[in-house]
Amino acid sequence: QVQLVESGGGLVQAGDSLRLSCAASGRSLSSLTVAWFRQAPGKEREFVARISWAGGSTYYADSFKGRFTISRDNAKNTVYLQMNSLKPEDTAVYYCAAGALVATMSPYRYVYWGQGTQVTVSS
């Protein structure tokens, strides 16, 4: 089993930056990939980025390249999402998830999920 806990969300103004954290515990993450998703009310869950735990390779949805950065700290078993130049349309609940080491953007392939952290961006 893997437990994931997100933190770092809050209320910010447009143009601000925010760093989200996802702390993992339980089984080793060495064979897993960890991803960030977000979901706004009434919308489908949207893939943001993923990172392989062992190798550290990253993949981003095109709309987030250059503005969001995913990273990991192996010693702390933590994955981060650095979000810069935030916009009101970034307002959503942000989730981290873990699953098998596969190249996918589908939330269906991720079996471990955190509870989510709310990010609200005011104009």
Side-chain angles (χ1 to χ4, degrees), residues 5 8 13 18-21 24 28 31 40-41 45 57-58 63 67 83 88-89 95 102 104 106 114-115 123:
V5 180
Q13 292 185 312
L18 203 60
R19 189 178 74 162
L20 306 182
S21 298
S28 173
S31 63
R45 193 158 296 189
S57 60
T58 60
S63 59
R67 193 162 66 92
M83 305 185 294
E89 50 264 45
Y95 299 89
V102 294
T104 180
S106 173
Q115 83 289 349
S123 59

Side-chain angles (χ1 to χ4, degrees), residues 4 32-37 45 47 49-51 59 96-113:
L4 303 172
L32 302 179
T33 186
V34 181
W36 285 97
F37 291 82
R45 193 158 296 189
F47 172 81
R50 63 171 172 83
I51 185 168
Y59 182 84
C96 67
L101 186 59
V102 294
T104 180
M105 299 188 296
S106 173
Y108 182 78
R109 302 297 300 274
Y110 295 83
V111 297
Y112 305 109
W113 291 85

Side-chain angles (χ1 to χ4, degrees), residues 61-78:
D62 288 343
S63 59
F64 302 109
K65 290 182 178 178
R67 193 162 66 92
F68 288 7
T69 303
I70 190 170
S71 62
R72 77 194 198 285
D73 186 331
N74 294 110
K76 296 182 178 180
N77 290 314
T78 299

